[in-house]
């Protein structure tokens, strides 16, 4: 590769990262492994092109081929999710959310998003995000006892707050979200409903999680989590909102679209229509359940007592270790996870009582139920015997062996 000669420093770190990925059990629920085709599109000459505007209405010349690419991406997104409007230009999930909120609401309007510790995302109204700075957020939480969304309670709160927009969708909620119930609640106060399916988009596409289409006025997503595409965002809606949303993405909050990423999104949407993609998502959920059972069997408490989707949230408060400590400990053995607050967490977001685990990336590597049982054992051994260096080095060895048996191979995806 050229970069090796021209920039050995950066190229060296890329090689290091490749090696890290190859010998790491990637359990970060928001990460995945893209196909070689998606990688190729992302690394293509399309990165050279300025294409402000939309297909057929650009502010630059030379767009006839990138126009075709964006049209393909939009058509495929519409087909995949069964909607009649899609915008594939958002640079990220946060950008997609920003465009919807800014085009539909006035600054200072009330919104209601899920609280961070209940599983919501920063861009759903957290005070440190644009969404909490520009809008007045009245967060809802899960039920303290069941740790599940409590639709009666949310309905009661909504009637008091009367928000302009309700945001549903989450980053660390292991159960099914009832979009129909949310729509009923939104209708009760004439509010808009936005469903952010960043995490579950892959499951939604194949019908393993109910679709928000027909219930949410606006649907936003990332393309890089369970959907297994390039890093980026996506907006879906009814045609009637298309003009406003397009204008808010460009020129409202973004400049030139990333045409190389849009090409990669088109490739990923096509991949998501293949029967193999459904098989993959089915295995993701099977693996998640199996990992959950393996951990429960070993004495770990899972938030909500299990999972219906691709992720699980472990409550570590009984193991006498914080989420931050567990994340660091597991990373030292080659297991990549992230600390996460649990509902009503007594610890702050830096320490946390929880650990979030997800199966999209290891399932892309070909791992199945047998390996989930092994991984549950590895996590448990590392945490329980953390004071014993011999045990920890044994876990490291077992992690490496497992990685060797399931090589990272983008070509096979
Ligand atoms: C990951 C995520 C996002 C944001 O994605 P970025 O691309 O990192 O901005 C938005 N919403 C939810 C629910 C997410 O989980």
């Amino acid at each position: 590769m050229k970069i090796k000669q021209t920039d050995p420093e950066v190229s060296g770190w890329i090689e290091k990262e490749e090696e890290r990925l190859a010998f790491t059990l990637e359990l970060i629920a928001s990460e995945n492994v893209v196909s070689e085709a998606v990688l190729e599109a992302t690394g293509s000459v399309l990165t050279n092109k300025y294409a402000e505007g939309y297909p057929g209405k650009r502010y630059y010349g030379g767009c006839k081929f990138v126009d075709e690419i964006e049209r393909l991406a939009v058509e495929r997104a519409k087909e995949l999710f069964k909607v009649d409007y899609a915008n594939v230009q958002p640079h990220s999930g946060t950008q997609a959310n920003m465009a919807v909120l800014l085009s539909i609401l006035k600054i200072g309007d009330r919104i209601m998003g899920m609280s961070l510790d209940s599983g919501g995302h920063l861009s759903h109204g957290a005070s440190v995000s644009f969404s909490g700075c520009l809008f007045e957020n009245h967060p809802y939480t899960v039920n303290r006892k069941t740790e599940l969304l409590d639709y009666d309670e949310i309905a009661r709160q909504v009637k008091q707050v009367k928000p302009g927009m309700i945001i549903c969708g989450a980053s660390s909620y292991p159960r099914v979200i009832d979009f129909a119930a949310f729509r009923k609640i939104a209708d009760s106060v004439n509010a808009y409903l936005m469903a952010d399916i960043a995490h579950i988009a892959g499951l939604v596409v194949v019908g393993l999680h109910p679709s928000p289409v027909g219930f949410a006025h606006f649907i936003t997503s990332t393309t890089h989590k369970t959907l297994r595409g390039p890093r980026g965002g996506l907006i879906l809606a009814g045609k009637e909102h298309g003009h406003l949303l397009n204008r808010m993405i460009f020129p409202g909050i973004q400049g030139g679209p990333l045409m190389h990423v849009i090409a990669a999104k088109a490739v990923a949407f096509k991949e998501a229509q293949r029967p193999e993609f459904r098989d993959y998502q089915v295995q993701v959920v099977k693996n998640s359940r199996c990992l959950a059972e393996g951990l429960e069997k070993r004495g770990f408490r899972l938030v909500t007592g299990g999972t219906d989707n691709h992720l699980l949230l472990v409550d570590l408060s009984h193991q006498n270790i914080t989420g931050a400590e567990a994340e660091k400990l597991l990373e030292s053995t080659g297991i990549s996870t992230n600390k996460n607050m649990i509902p009503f967490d007594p610890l702050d977001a830096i320490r946390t009582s929880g650990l979030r685990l997800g199966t999209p990336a290891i399932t892309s590597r070909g791992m199945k139920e047998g390996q989930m049982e092994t991984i549950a054992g590895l996590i448990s051994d590392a945490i329980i015997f953390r004071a014993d260096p011999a045990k920890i080095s044994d876990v490291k060895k077992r992690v490496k062996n497992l990685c060797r048996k399931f090589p990272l191979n983008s070509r096979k995806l």
Side-chain angles (χ1 to χ4, degrees), residues 30 91-97 119-124 168-172 196-200 220-225 231-233 356:
S30 49
H91 300 331
S92 72
T94 298
Q95 235 67 51
N97 288 343
H121 189 258
L122 283 164
S123 60
H124 295 183
C168 61
S171 302
S172 56
D196 178 347
I197 58 169
H199 260 267
I200 54 172
T220 55
S221 185
T222 58
T223 47
H224 51 271
K225 298 180 183 174
R231 198 151 282 286
R356 189 182 66 162

Side-chain angles (χ1 to χ4, degrees), residues 31-249:
E31 294 191 7
N32 211 330
V33 182
V34 299
S35 71
E36 189 158 53
V38 167
L39 272 183
E40 282 172 358
T42 313
S44 70
V45 294
L46 297 170
T47 195
N48 294 336
K49 191 73 201 95
Y50 241 118
E52 282 178 354
Y54 290 93
K57 287 165 286 186
R58 302 286 191 186
Y59 292 86
Y60 285 85
C63 288
K64 61 181 174 188
F65 302 128
V66 294
D67 274 5
E68 295 307 321
I69 289 169
E70 184 166 346
R71 281 195 188 105
L72 270 177
V74 168
E75 285 313 308
R76 287 176 185 172
K78 282 157 61 175
E79 216 173 294
L80 197 57
F81 290 95
K82 303 185 176 66
V83 291
D84 54 28
Y85 164 83
N87 189 312
V88 296
Q89 290 194 7
H91 300 331
S92 72
T94 298
Q95 235 67 51
N97 288 343
M98 186 183 238
V100 172
L101 294 179
L102 288 176
S103 52
I104 300 307
L105 301 175
K106 287 196 302 292
I107 303 293
D109 277 0
R110 288 185 184 168
I111 60 173
M112 281 183 69
M114 196 178 195
S115 75
L116 269 189
D117 65 318
S118 280
H121 189 258
L122 283 164
S123 60
H124 295 183
S127 59
V128 291
S129 143
F130 80 92
S131 55
C133 296
L134 301 182
F135 303 101
E136 186 185 310
N137 185 32
H138 295 256
Y140 60 85
T141 65
V142 293
N143 181 283
R144 201 177 267 272
K145 231 166 92 217
T146 62
E147 299 172 318
L148 299 172
L149 285 163
D150 179 343
Y151 298 97
D152 293 336
E153 177 56 25
I154 296 169
R156 198 187 58 74
Q157 243 177 294
V158 163
K159 285 205 179 89
Q160 281 181 350
V161 175
K162 295 194 174 57
M165 175 87 75
I166 298 170
I167 307 171
C168 61
S171 302
S172 56
Y173 186 66
R175 299 296 185 173
V176 171
I177 296 170
D178 187 344
F179 297 119
F182 266 111
R183 174 58 184 262
K184 233 170 118 186
I185 294 170
D187 281 346
S188 76
V189 294
N190 250 325
Y192 281 113
L193 178 66
M194 176 168 101
D196 178 347
I197 58 169
H199 260 267
I200 54 172
L203 305 183
V204 167
V205 159
V206 302
L208 288 176
H209 188 290
S211 169
V213 173
F215 300 114
H217 302 92
F218 306 95
I219 301 167
T220 55
S221 185
T222 58
T223 47
H224 51 271
K225 298 180 183 174
T226 51
L227 198 51
R228 209 163 71 180
R231 198 151 282 286
L234 177 69
I235 305 175
L236 310 167
K239 247 198 180 100
E240 67 278 15
H241 300 293
H243 183 63
L244 268 184
L245 292 168
N246 279 356
R247 270 209 332 212
M248 187 49 71
I249 282 291

